[in-house]
Amino acid sequence: MKKPVISIFVTTLLAVTVTSLSIPVNSTMAAQKRNSELNEYILSKDTIQESDRFREEMGLSSKNLRSISNDPKNFSEKYGVFLTEKEEKELDERLEEQKNQIPKIKDFIENHLQDEFAAMYIDQKLGGVINIGFKTGSEEKVKKFEEDLKKLYSKGMVEIYYTDYTEEQLDEMAESVSEKRNELAEKGLNVTSVSVNIPEQKIDIGVEKKKAFARSLLLNSETVSDIGLDIDSNLFNIFEEEVHQAQASPSDKFRPIQAGLSIVNTDAGKFCTSAFSAQIGTKFYVLTAGHCAESDTDKFSQGGPRFGKVADYNFGGNVDSAIIKLDEGSKDATYYLFGNSKSKLYAINEVQKTKNETVGDAVCISGATTQTVKCGTLKTKNWKGDVLTHSGDKVYLSGMRQATYTSTRGDSGAPIFLGGTAIGIHSTSGGIYSHISRVINHFEIDDIFIGN
């Protein structure tokens, strides 16, 4: 994206020296003063559980987690879990290589093996192995380029596999199931979500937990044929789940309005989280979740005082986002991100393009209610499903992303990021978020604010 008009930053830039905008190294807080809220979280059982989950997901042993957690200095601000300094450094290096090299791998495939390409995903549990899938029957051609392809990433960390279905074909199948959800409901199968599972080459289908699991057996070959789905039922992975919930549900005043702060819809009484700042023409905005707004007259405050009014919002399809127009003369737009109860934790320096996202990517959230940065991995780039609002209505979202980070009520609208990269805007429980590119396109945003 283009950089914003520099005048909006003059006051900020005079007052603050911008530090490194890449993913910082060695951010464990050994020498940093922590506030009481963060200290309380570090000492809680939740932190141990979150650390155990994240470490397993990233392929780090939890054998010594108890001893590591005995020293608060081992709490990583960056990832919101307990890591030794060595582990954090190695994880930084792994994710930095993925960020730099995967686009080169994709470019190579586009130039040499585009017709043969099927899908790609990262297995973080195995230390960041890149799995590249090609169509069955293309083995002979792929082998000609295999060595050159593997040279683009760490030695021994690229795996080639062959599959009958491409990611595009799986996306089309998932869309077909989604379109038939009303017919399936009539037959007793209430579908709550549909998503593409690249690693397992499956279509994941969530069904309402209150329904007997035996009902899921309705989605067999006979039913698939009966409702006109030209799909092998063996491709379905059916599981029970609760309907995902919109999380609009506290806080010192901060200016400018950084991503990750608690904001309040003073007309609707909803507590949400600010996301990135944006520019359309000569006007400046702060982004949040669309379900945090109920009308284009809703006013928002942060830390007490009002800072803007809703200009537009959308809650449905592939975008759950609202743009809050800053009050006239305001200099509250910024490229800073708030996290771990700390101002200017990061400076956003780039905006992710959809071509650069890969299943298995690490992503993080900074929610105003959660208050600590929490991270996970991208599970699917194509999640569809019902979202239950506080009024009891259901809204159907599609083309959303789903990741494994955790969140709570009031985190709606929170920035999804990794280091200085803006990735998306948090929507609902279960790690559902709108990709930032979808938001930019929907509202015809000229710029997401980024640093130099």
Side-chain angles (χ1 to χ4, degrees):
M1 303 299 292
K2 296 182 296 181
K3 294 181 181 178
V5 178
I6 195 65
S7 61
I8 194 72
F9 296 120
V10 171
T11 303
T12 303
L13 293 177
L14 289 174
V16 178
T17 299
V18 180
T19 56
S20 173
L21 300 180
S22 62
I23 300 176
V25 178
N26 298 332
S27 71
T28 48
M29 298 164 30
Q32 298 181 19
K33 183 179 179 181
R34 301 189 180 102
N35 59 45
S36 58
E37 291 86 356
L38 187 54
N39 276 327
E40 184 178 346
Y41 175 72
I42 291 172
L43 297 173
S44 70
K45 291 182 179 180
D46 289 345
T47 316
I48 299 293
Q49 293 173 351
E50 184 73 10
S51 297
D52 190 37
R53 177 197 65 78
F54 181 77
R55 292 173 66 88
E56 180 182 0
E57 200 169 315
M58 303 307 291
L60 302 173
S61 172
S62 291
K63 183 178 179 181
N64 299 318
L65 177 56
R66 288 290 175 184
S67 61
I68 294 171
S69 64
N70 284 334
D71 187 351
K73 293 179 181 179
N74 288 323
F75 181 79
S76 167
E77 254 196 20
K78 185 184 310 177
Y79 300 108
V81 296
F82 285 109
L83 299 171
T84 65
E85 186 173 329
K86 180 182 178 182
E87 287 172 333
E88 185 184 82
K89 184 176 184 293
E90 290 175 349
L91 191 53
D92 286 344
E93 291 172 351
R94 181 204 304 184
L95 299 181
E96 187 69 18
E97 182 181 18
Q98 290 170 9
K99 177 183 175 182
N100 293 333
Q101 297 304 117
I102 289 179
K104 295 178 183 178
I105 292 173
K106 291 181 178 179
D107 286 343
F108 183 92
I109 291 171
E110 185 175 353
N111 291 329
H112 301 286
L113 295 165
Q114 186 60 42
D115 292 339
E116 292 73 28
F117 180 66
M120 182 186 300
Y121 69 93
I122 307 167
D123 192 335
Q124 301 287 8
K125 282 187 176 181
L126 293 181
V129 170
I130 308 297
N131 294 270
I132 307 174
F134 294 97
K135 299 174 186 175
T136 301
S138 65
E139 290 87 345
E140 186 176 346
K141 183 174 180 180
V142 171
K143 285 187 181 300
K144 296 177 181 178
F145 296 95
E146 189 169 328
E147 287 306 311
D148 289 334
L149 192 57
K150 290 183 175 181
K151 288 177 183 177
L152 294 173
Y153 196 64
S154 290
K155 187 175 181 181
M157 297 296 281
V158 173
E159 292 289 337
I160 304 297
Y161 70 96
Y162 296 91
T163 177
D164 293 333
Y165 301 101
T166 66
E167 182 176 357
E168 184 178 354
Q169 289 172 321
L170 291 172
D171 282 341
E172 291 173 356
M173 293 178 200
E175 183 62 34
S176 297
V177 175
S178 176
E179 290 173 352
K180 296 291 184 178
R181 64 186 185 278
N182 291 333
E183 292 179 50
L184 290 168
E186 291 174 1
K187 293 178 176 293
L189 183 64
N190 290 336
V191 174
T192 54
S193 68
V194 182
S195 60
V196 173
N197 186 330
I198 294 297
E200 295 184 16
Q201 288 287 288
K202 296 276 190 180
I203 306 299
D204 286 345
I205 302 174
V207 297
E208 280 193 24
K209 201 166 187 177
K210 66 181 181 180
K211 299 292 181 182
F213 187 69
R215 295 287 185 93
S216 68
L217 298 178
L218 286 169
L219 202 53
N220 53 27
S221 298
E222 183 178 342
T223 305
V224 166
S225 175
D226 183 44
I227 63 174
L229 279 174
D230 187 21
I231 303 174
D232 182 354
S233 60
N234 290 321
L235 288 173
F236 298 140
N237 176 32
I238 301 172
F239 59 95
E240 293 180 297
E241 66 173 354
E242 300 285 358
V243 178
H244 292 254
Q245 303 217 8
Q247 294 185 311
S249 160
S251 217
D252 294 338
K253 177 183 176 182
F254 284 92
R255 293 295 185 274
I257 307 292
Q258 303 168 55
L261 291 175
S262 177
I263 59 176
V264 182
N265 182 328
T266 55
D267 292 303
K270 292 182 177 180
F271 291 80
C272 290
T273 302
S274 58
F276 313 103
S277 295
Q279 182 176 352
I280 303 175
T282 60
K283 306 297 182 183
F284 304 99
Y285 305 83
V286 167
L287 303 174
T288 190
H291 67 262
C292 293
E294 293 186 355
S295 80
D296 56 10
T297 61
D298 286 352
K299 294 174 284 295
F300 275 81
S301 68
Q302 193 285 315
R306 162 182 160 158
F307 68 87
K309 185 177 76 171
V310 172
D312 197 2
Y313 66 101
N314 187 80
F315 182 27
N318 58 27
V319 171
D320 177 13
S321 184
I323 53 174
I324 305 167
K325 182 177 176 294
L326 294 175
D327 290 335
E328 204 64 39
S330 170
K331 290 182 171 58
D332 287 339
T334 182
Y335 47 76
Y336 287 115
L337 186 144
F338 183 95
N340 299 326
S341 301
K342 185 177 180 182
S343 180
K344 301 176 183 175
L345 179 67
Y346 288 109
I348 298 302
N349 65 336
E350 65 177 340
V351 179
Q352 186 186 68
K353 297 178 181 178
T354 52
K355 71 175 184 178
N356 290 335
E357 62 173 343
T358 305
V359 170
D361 279 341
V363 298
C364 301
I365 182 174
S366 179
T369 302
T370 301
Q371 297 190 17
T372 54
V373 170
K374 293 193 174 183
C375 303
T377 54
L378 177 61
K379 290 175 61 178
T380 180
K381 297 184 287 182
N382 189 357
W383 183 93
K384 313 168 190 292
D386 284 320
V387 174
L388 188 65
T389 67
H390 298 292
S391 61
D393 298 325
K394 287 183 180 178
V395 175
Y396 198 75
L397 298 177
S398 61
M400 302 288 280
R401 276 52 175 168
Q402 183 177 32
T404 60
Y405 63 77
T406 57
S407 62
T408 191
R409 291 187 64 182
D411 289 345
S412 290
I416 306 302
F417 64 96
L418 184 66
T421 303
I423 295 174
I425 298 176
H426 175 65
S427 175
T428 76
S429 61
I432 309 301
Y433 66 92
S434 307
H435 193 273
I436 190 65
S437 66
R438 306 285 195 185
V439 177
I440 290 170
N441 292 337
H442 182 85
F443 295 115
E444 298 182 346
I445 290 171
D446 294 326
D447 296 296
I448 298 295
F449 277 27
I450 58 174
N452 294 320

